[in-house]
Amino acid sequence: MAVPVEEAIAALSTFSLEDEQPEVQGPGVWVSTERGATDSPTEYSDVSAYRLSLSEDTKALNQLNALTQEGKEMASVLYTYRSCVKALPQLPDSMKQSQADLYLETYQVLDLEMSRLREIQRWQASASSKLAADMQRFSRPERRINGPTISHLWSMLKLLDVLVQLDHLKNAKASIPNDFSWYKRTFTQVSGQWQDTDSMREELDDLQIFLSTRWAILLNLHVEMFRVNNVEDILQVLIVFVVESLELDFALLFPERHILLRVLPILVVLATSSEKDSESLYKRVKINRLISIFKNDAVIPAFPDLHLSPAAILKELSMYFQKFSSQTRLLTLPAPHELAQREAQDYQRHYLIINHIGAIRAEHDDFTVHFASAMNQLLLLKSTDGSDVDWSKEVKGNMYDMIVEGFQLLSRWTARIWEQCGWKFSRPCKDVTTLESRESAASFSDYEKVVRYNYTAEERKALVELVSYIKSVGSMMQRCDTLVADALWETIHAEVQDFVQNTLATMLRTTFRKKKDLSRILSDMRTLSADWMANTNRSESEMQSSQHGGEDSKGNFFYPRAVAPTAAQVHCLQFLIYEVVSGGNLRRPGGLFGNTGSEIPVNDLKQLETFFYKLGFFLHILDYTVTVATLTDLGFLWFREFYLESSRVIQFPIECSLPWMLVDCVLESPNCGLLESVLMPFDIYNDSAQQALVVLKQRFLYDEIEAEVDHCFDIFVSKLCEITFTYYKSWAASELLDTSFLFTSDNAEKYAVQPMRFNMLLKITRVKLLGRTINLRSLITERMNKLFRENIEFLFDRFECQDLCAIVELEKLLDVLKHAHALLARDLSIDSFGLMLNEMQEDISLVSFSSRLASQIWSEMQSDFLPNFILCNTTQRFVRSSKVVLVQKPSIPSAKPNFYCGTQDLNSAHQSFARLHSGFFGIPHLFSIVRLLGSRSLPWLIRALLDHVSNKVCHSLPYSESISCMILLAYLWEAFGP
């Protein structure tokens, strides 16, 4: 249904702030050391209350989730690890006697870091053992009927993903083995101080083996898994689940999809390396399906500046797993850096945002309008008493659909940024020398090649636009979280109740009528989640009958209630649905919801499948704030720990920081539509600071982010003010151009100024940065006052370096500046132009009547005009005589174009006008003097001229100079008189 734009604006304006400040930033992230907004642990403590055979599974599930959370903390330690050896002091020769003390202190420092690595070593051993034990438990003969639940599969995959990332980080961080070498060396030097060091040496040797062995964690997991050779089935189950989840798009949010992509090559290697017939895997999952997935996603994001390549992983692991080395079709897949030019271009069309920004823009515009319409209807519903039940259900259902669509859009958009970054990191820029020919290619760091010179101007613009879409949609959805909460809960409640009270009742009467085992499971589902209290259209006996699926059971009617299912209920419902579909046996052919060998009709199977997928999204909807925060978190665009280590620098220059590159791209871009997004990239700093404190838990990272933000924001305000000043100066100069000049010009369009919406930025009083609120309007006002004063100072300095004929040019430039001030003053409360002009003329004293300009004019008249100019009776103009008394003047100062008329074209146009009055002194110049000096300083100038004439007459000085002076007085009196 088409929605009028006025209604959409009205709906969105409901959430605007009282001072009507425009929304130019994303969802508000207040940096805190408390639990992160994206950290929302799921517990299943109430599963035992439902009396299902899930107690053991739930206990194992909670243990896996706890290990996964610990593993993420371990991964943060490895990712943020920086070499301690770089900071170690080197003793001069004169202090060699203190070498022993230095060794001891070095050992104490390094031992703290090595203790963290020992903790990671112990954790990965226990996590591998737990994961292998869970896989073996599901492979025992007594568990061959009931397989793991979907939640359990996801938990195993998440833990495996953490182990893979830890292994990848351990392989990538060269500073860790380097520090360990120093640690072992210092231990050898100081171990003589202790008596029993054998156990310490043994522990040291174990740690050395762990750190020096590539893929040590994966090899350890392989050993733990195949202690009992019966895990092949569960590995195949996991592979089938991953493949079909990717093909059916079962991963609802992009982090889940990336987990599946990261673990799939590892699972294939582990399954193929089994002692049993490894070809059984490819009977269940055709190898072409695996190859298709690996080709479609050649680059997988792992960490902000680290990526994984399935092809590279498979090739490297083939050296450690001999049985897998025979899989030539998988091992011949090209890694990203091995791609041919044509294949690389095909991948670029997929990965680069610039190739999709048109479709994304259409999605954003369409969603914004429809979301505003849905909110408008919801607000109307809330303001209406006694509204119709059907209409209420329709409005709230529509709101639910819009929230789901918003989450899906945000997930796709953020995933595109992650994947583009991964692609850029895998394909560094090779033509840096053509971009910066003054420097050699060796002088550029690897990080500059993958970030600074790896994004074209158009790609940066597309990235800024997408960041703005993500942040604006996320902010729009976050602002209405309390307004839509009841609607979401009621809709989810209605979905669940309609399924368990109506759909399952129909299935019990038809499909499962004579199947007692399956009927029992369906009855358990109804008992588990049916809300009979909401059913008000039947008597108690009828409700009891309907609970048992009686013959006369019809569609139940229930009033909506804002009571959503718990995570445990969703978990149990998914488990029971799988028991119905596959008997709990995920090894059954036909896939997750395939109909092969199943006695369930296709229509009923489809209904079960649809509800199953809805259950997966319910938890994300109910965890609304956390989901929005996760999908709008772009802090990864700042982090560069891996490249800092490989480049061996303390920090990269500000020009290499991707968030600042995006801000600078907006400021330098002629595209006026991007200007409204100039503050969006600063949200990346907010996100990265939150990650540094809450996720990575590293204060030094936050300090680095804070220092960069302070520096960037200062530069941003300065450049923004320069650009704003230039725009208003150009606007004023364009309006003051003579119309006859424009009419006779061959290309008058180049003197026009394209409109830009600076007024939106000039209203902003609150910019949220790292938990602080900055008044941008105040900073711009302060800077603008300074720029106007500097411009006036420059114009006076320029006039003082020229002769008196330049007074017309000075007036024209001051008029342009004054008009620019008037235009800017509509949107910004800056000092009055008269006050600034008087300050720069040093004419603010009540007893001062000779301003700086008047003094300069009188000085020019004395030293240059009166001695060197004569009157031409024909033209009534003063021109220079042939006998000129040379006057030494300083060189004319240079300045940026915005201190003249804004742009080069406008400067040329006004200069052509100024040249018309530069070769003589006449009536136009006198009128300029009168207008510039005004009634305050002009009488002083006339008095000075009269005194000068009197002095000339009394002392019988040159006659021509006295005549010129009297003529000038007459002209001034005539000009001043009216």
Side-chain angles (χ1 to χ4, degrees):
M1 181 179 65
V3 181
V5 177
E6 292 78 5
E7 291 186 20
I9 295 175
L12 292 178
S13 64
T14 307
F15 314 107
S16 61
L17 301 175
E18 292 181 1
D19 58 359
E20 297 183 355
Q21 173 175 315
E23 188 67 37
V24 291
Q25 284 189 282
V29 177
W30 295 97
V31 177
S32 170
T33 56
E34 301 296 328
R35 182 172 68 86
T38 58
D39 182 14
S40 181
T42 301
E43 297 181 357
Y44 302 101
S45 55
D46 55 333
V47 168
S48 57
Y50 302 118
R51 299 180 181 180
L52 299 173
S53 57
L54 284 173
S55 299
E56 185 181 359
D57 285 335
T58 303
K59 182 179 179 181
L61 190 61
N62 288 330
Q63 291 175 351
L64 289 175
N65 290 340
L67 283 171
T68 301
Q69 190 61 36
E70 293 174 9
K72 291 179 179 179
E73 296 176 2
M74 304 292 178
S76 299
V77 170
L78 281 187
Y79 178 69
T80 59
Y81 188 94
R82 291 188 181 176
S83 176
C84 298
V85 174
K86 293 180 182 179
L88 293 178
Q90 301 296 321
L91 291 180
D93 294 336
S94 60
M95 298 181 64
K96 289 300 181 182
Q97 67 276 9
S98 303
Q99 194 75 30
D101 295 335
L102 178 63
Y103 276 129
L104 179 60
E105 293 181 5
T106 300
Y107 173 79
Q108 292 171 347
V109 170
L110 291 176
D111 188 56
L112 293 174
E113 298 300 324
M114 294 304 112
S115 64
R116 300 163 75 187
L117 298 179
R118 292 191 196 97
E119 184 180 354
I120 293 173
Q121 182 188 13
R122 289 191 290 268
W123 177 87
Q124 65 85 24
S126 62
S128 299
S129 177
K130 172 60 181 173
L131 182 59
D134 263 34
M135 290 183 176
Q136 291 165 6
R137 181 168 62 87
F138 286 114
S139 300
R140 291 199 300 266
E142 61 269 21
R143 288 301 303 249
R144 287 193 178 274
I145 296 178
N146 294 327
T149 63
I150 296 300
S151 300
H152 211 130
L153 289 177
W154 267 112
S155 295
M156 286 192 286
L157 293 173
K158 288 177 181 178
L159 182 55
L160 177 60
D161 177 58
V162 171
L163 291 171
V164 171
Q165 291 193 66
L166 276 175
D167 228 356
H168 185 52
L169 280 173
K170 182 179 68 65
N171 297 339
K173 302 286 281 191
S175 61
I176 295 177
N178 189 31
D179 281 8
F180 179 79
S181 298
W182 275 78
Y183 175 69
K184 189 174 183 180
R185 192 179 312 152
T186 56
F187 174 79
T188 304
Q189 296 293 330
V190 303
S191 59
Q193 302 179 18
W194 303 304
Q195 294 179 353
D196 184 16
T197 59
D198 292 341
S199 60
M200 297 176 66
R201 289 183 186 278
E202 183 179 352
E203 185 177 337
L204 201 62
D205 292 339
D206 290 342
L207 183 59
Q208 183 176 13
I209 294 173
F210 172 70
L211 295 178
S212 60
T213 305
R214 291 185 64 83
W215 300 104
I217 297 176
L218 187 59
L219 292 172
N220 179 49
L221 176 63
H222 179 261
V223 171
E224 292 289 339
M225 286 170 52
F226 289 96
R227 288 186 188 277
V228 180
N229 295 324
N230 58 0
V231 297
E232 294 82 3
D233 288 340
I234 189 62
L235 284 174
Q236 292 183 14
V237 167
L238 288 170
I239 292 173
V240 171
F241 175 74
V242 171
V243 170
E244 296 197 353
S245 295
L246 291 171
E247 291 176 344
L248 300 173
D249 202 19
F250 178 62
L252 300 173
L253 304 182
F254 76 89
E256 298 173 349
R257 184 173 184 275
H258 289 168
I259 288 173
L260 297 177
L261 290 171
R262 285 193 293 263
V263 300
L264 182 57
I266 306 299
L267 288 171
V268 171
V269 171
L270 291 174
T272 310
S273 62
S274 168
E275 295 296 328
K276 293 185 178 181
D277 181 17
S278 60
E279 294 302 321
S280 63
L281 167 65
Y282 303 112
K283 294 177 182 177
R284 295 196 62 188
V285 182
K286 298 298 182 183
I287 195 170
N288 289 336
R289 297 170 69 187
L290 296 174
I291 292 175
S292 176
I293 292 174
F294 294 150
K295 279 188 173 181
N296 290 337
D297 292 276
V299 176
I300 310 167
F303 281 90
D305 57 339
L306 282 174
H307 68 280
L308 292 174
S309 167
I313 291 176
L314 295 174
K315 290 177 182 178
E316 185 173 357
L317 290 180
S318 64
M319 297 185 294
Y320 299 90
F321 298 90
Q322 294 302 319
K323 294 199 68 175
F324 180 71
S325 60
S326 62
Q327 304 297 323
T328 55
R329 292 190 63 187
L330 292 175
L331 294 178
T332 53
L333 290 172
H337 64 278
E338 301 171 343
L339 292 171
Q341 183 67 25
R342 178 175 296 179
E343 290 179 319
Q345 290 177 352
D346 292 338
Y347 277 111
Q348 284 198 165
R349 282 191 285 271
H350 169 68
Y351 280 115
L352 298 187
I353 294 171
I354 192 173
N355 299 318
H356 308 278
I357 194 63
I360 292 173
R361 189 182 299 121
E363 289 174 346
H364 169 267
D365 296 345
D366 184 67
F367 173 77
T368 303
V369 172
H370 285 85
F371 186 87
S373 175
M375 280 303 307
N376 198 26
Q377 292 293 317
L378 186 62
L379 293 172
L380 181 61
L381 176 65
K382 288 178 177 291
S383 64
T384 305
D385 295 332
S387 57
D388 182 67
V389 175
D390 291 337
W391 180 58
S392 174
K393 183 178 179 180
E394 179 185 355
V395 169
K396 293 177 179 178
N398 186 36
M399 191 72 248
Y400 173 86
D401 293 338
M402 293 309 305
I403 295 296
V404 171
E405 182 182 349
F407 285 167
Q408 291 172 335
L409 287 177
L410 290 175
S411 181
R412 286 203 302 271
W413 295 346
T414 308
R416 286 207 176 276
I417 297 180
W418 267 102
E419 291 162 6
Q420 177 179 264
C421 288
W423 174 254
K424 291 291 186 181
F425 284 124
S426 70
R427 302 277 298 184
C429 177
K430 297 180 180 179
D431 302 323
V432 181
T433 53
T434 61
L435 300 173
E436 297 286 337
S437 57
R438 292 173 295 178
E439 302 180 38
S440 63
S443 63
F444 297 100
S445 66
D446 291 339
Y447 191 68
E448 288 180 293
K449 294 177 183 178
V450 297
V451 173
R452 184 179 182 183
Y453 299 114
N454 215 14
Y455 289 84
T456 65
E458 292 302 319
E459 288 171 355
R460 294 182 193 182
K461 292 175 186 176
L463 183 55
V464 169
E465 191 172 352
L466 183 52
V467 168
S468 303
Y469 290 157
I470 292 172
K471 290 298 182 180
S472 61
V473 170
S475 178
M476 183 173 63
M477 295 180 69
Q478 189 188 64
R479 288 200 307 270
C480 66
D481 57 347
T482 56
L483 291 172
V484 303
D486 287 348
L488 298 179
W489 293 347
E490 287 184 18
T491 303
I492 292 175
H493 174 269
E495 291 273 2
V496 173
Q497 298 312 309
D498 180 63
F499 179 80
V500 298
Q501 293 191 38
N502 295 331
T503 305
L504 290 186
T506 304
M507 290 183 183
L508 283 169
R509 292 195 309 270
T510 56
T511 307
F512 302 97
R513 183 176 182 180
K514 297 181 180 180
K515 301 173 184 177
K516 293 184 178 180
D517 291 340
L518 295 181
S519 297
R520 176 188 56 79
I521 296 175
L522 295 185
S523 297
D524 287 344
M525 292 173 64
R526 305 186 80 197
T527 304
L528 172 71
S529 54
D531 181 13
W532 304 110
M533 298 294 294
N535 191 321
T536 59
N537 71 331
R538 290 171 177 251
S539 64
E540 183 176 351
S541 60
E542 288 177 319
M543 283 192 289
Q544 291 176 354
S545 173
S546 65
Q547 291 183 43
H548 295 86
E551 294 288 340
D552 298 327
S553 178
K554 304 293 182 182
N556 289 333
F557 176 83
F558 43 86
Y559 283 104
R561 282 157 51 99
V563 182
T566 65
Q569 283 178 304
V570 172
H571 170 58
C572 294
L573 283 172
Q574 286 184 323
F575 168 73
L576 292 173
I577 289 175
Y578 258 105
E579 282 220 294
V580 171
V581 173
S582 60
N585 184 7
L586 291 177
R587 303 169 189 80
R588 192 169 191 162
L592 297 178
F593 278 93
N595 199 30
T596 305
S598 174
E599 299 178 359
I600 305 175
V602 175
N603 291 336
D604 290 343
L605 192 67
K606 187 65 178 176
Q607 286 182 307
L608 290 169
E609 178 186 7
T610 302
F611 185 68
F612 180 88
Y613 287 132
K614 283 184 178 180
L615 286 173
F617 218 113
F618 285 167
L619 293 180
H620 297 302
I621 296 293
L622 296 175
D623 212 358
Y624 188 92
T625 303
V626 171
T627 303
V628 172
T630 301
L631 298 180
T632 58
D633 183 3
L634 301 176
F636 61 89
L637 292 174
W638 181 85
F639 290 99
R640 53 276 184 112
E641 290 300 299
F642 172 72
Y643 284 91
L644 273 177
E645 179 178 278
S646 62
S647 301
R648 297 184 179 183
V649 296
I650 297 176
Q651 259 308 335
F652 292 114
I654 191 67
E655 294 81 11
C656 295
S657 180
L658 187 54
W660 170 249
M661 286 167 56
L662 299 181
V663 175
D664 193 52
C665 170
V666 176
L667 293 176
E668 298 293 338
S669 173
N671 185 354
C672 58
L674 280 178
L675 188 63
E676 298 180 8
S677 306
V678 70
L679 285 172
M680 289 295 183
F682 280 104
D683 277 340
I684 298 173
Y685 288 117
N686 289 333
D687 295 339
S688 60
Q690 185 75 5
Q691 283 191 32
L693 287 181
V694 177
V695 180
L696 301 176
K697 299 181 180 178
Q698 299 295 338
R699 176 58 187 265
F700 74 89
L701 280 177
Y702 175 80
D703 292 339
E704 292 176 357
I705 295 168
E706 185 179 35
E708 183 173 319
V709 167
D710 290 342
H711 183 47
C712 286
F713 200 77
D714 288 342
I715 300 175
F716 161 71
V717 173
S718 178
K719 293 193 72 169
L720 177 63
C721 291
E722 287 283 345
I723 294 169
T724 306
F725 182 77
T726 302
Y727 169 74
Y728 280 94
K729 198 75 178 292
S730 304
W731 185 7
S734 177
E735 288 192 349
L736 293 180
L737 272 179
D738 189 81
T739 54
S740 59
F741 171 81
L742 294 175
F743 181 76
T744 57
S745 175
D746 295 332
N747 187 12
E749 293 181 358
K750 67 180 180 179
Y751 303 116
V753 178
Q754 297 298 324
M756 298 182 72
R757 294 186 58 188
F758 283 101
N759 57 329
M760 176 269 298
L761 289 175
L762 300 180
K763 294 179 181 178
I764 299 172
T765 58
R766 290 185 306 278
V767 177
K768 295 167 289 195
L769 278 180
L770 310 190
R772 295 171 292 177
T773 301
I774 301 173
N775 190 331
L776 181 61
R777 180 184 176 91
S778 176
L779 293 177
I780 294 176
T781 301
E782 180 181 344
R783 179 67 181 167
M784 282 298 177
N785 286 328
K786 183 180 178 182
L787 279 175
F788 273 101
R789 286 173 168 84
E790 289 176 351
N791 200 167
I792 295 173
E793 177 73 17
F794 165 75
L795 294 180
F796 284 155
D797 289 344
R798 176 180 170 81
F799 173 69
E800 290 169 359
C801 297
Q802 301 178 83
D803 58 24
L804 195 58
C805 301
I807 191 67
V808 175
E809 180 192 23
L810 174 64
E811 184 195 18
K812 193 69 175 176
L813 292 176
L814 283 175
D815 285 345
V816 171
L817 186 62
K818 183 178 181 180
H819 190 50
H821 178 278
L823 295 173
L824 184 60
R826 300 174 186 174
D827 303 312
L828 200 65
S829 300
I830 53 179
D831 296 341
S832 69
F833 186 78
L835 174 63
M836 291 188 284
L837 186 62
N838 289 336
E839 284 183 8
M840 294 299 101
Q841 290 201 85
E842 302 168 5
D843 189 22
I844 57 176
S845 173
L846 295 177
V847 295
S848 174
F849 299 101
S850 60
S851 63
R852 173 183 177 180
L853 182 59
S855 299
Q856 178 62 25
I857 291 173
W858 172 234
S859 175
E860 281 295 312
M861 287 182 175
Q862 283 183 303
S863 61
D864 183 33
F865 175 75
L866 295 176
N868 297 325
F869 281 73
I870 59 175
L871 180 67
C872 176
N873 288 326
T874 305
T875 60
Q876 292 295 300
R877 294 176 176 178
F878 290 93
V879 295
R880 286 190 179 274
S881 65
S882 56
K883 299 178 180 180
V884 178
V885 178
L886 295 178
V887 179
Q888 194 70 24
K889 291 182 179 294
S891 59
I892 298 176
S894 59
K896 293 174 289 187
N898 63 357
F899 269 24
Y900 293 97
C901 297
T903 65
Q904 292 291 355
D905 291 329
L906 289 168
N907 288 346
S908 300
H910 282 273
Q911 282 295 321
S912 64
F913 173 80
R915 281 194 295 270
L916 298 176
H917 301 82
S918 61
F920 70 95
F921 185 92
I923 297 298
H925 302 77
L926 291 170
F927 275 98
S928 294
I929 291 175
V930 171
R931 285 191 292 264
L932 287 173
L933 297 185
S935 59
R936 183 181 177 92
S937 297
L938 188 61
W940 175 87
L941 179 61
I942 294 175
R943 180 73 264 174
L945 283 170
L946 289 172
D947 291 343
H948 184 73
V949 171
S950 176
N951 186 46
K952 295 294 182 182
V953 172
C954 293
H955 293 83
S956 302
L957 291 177
Y959 175 75
S960 61
E961 188 173 335
S962 300
I963 295 299
S964 296
C965 187
M966 288 187 290
I967 294 172
L968 182 61
L969 275 170
Y971 281 146
L972 281 173
W973 185 258
E974 181 181 353
F976 182 58

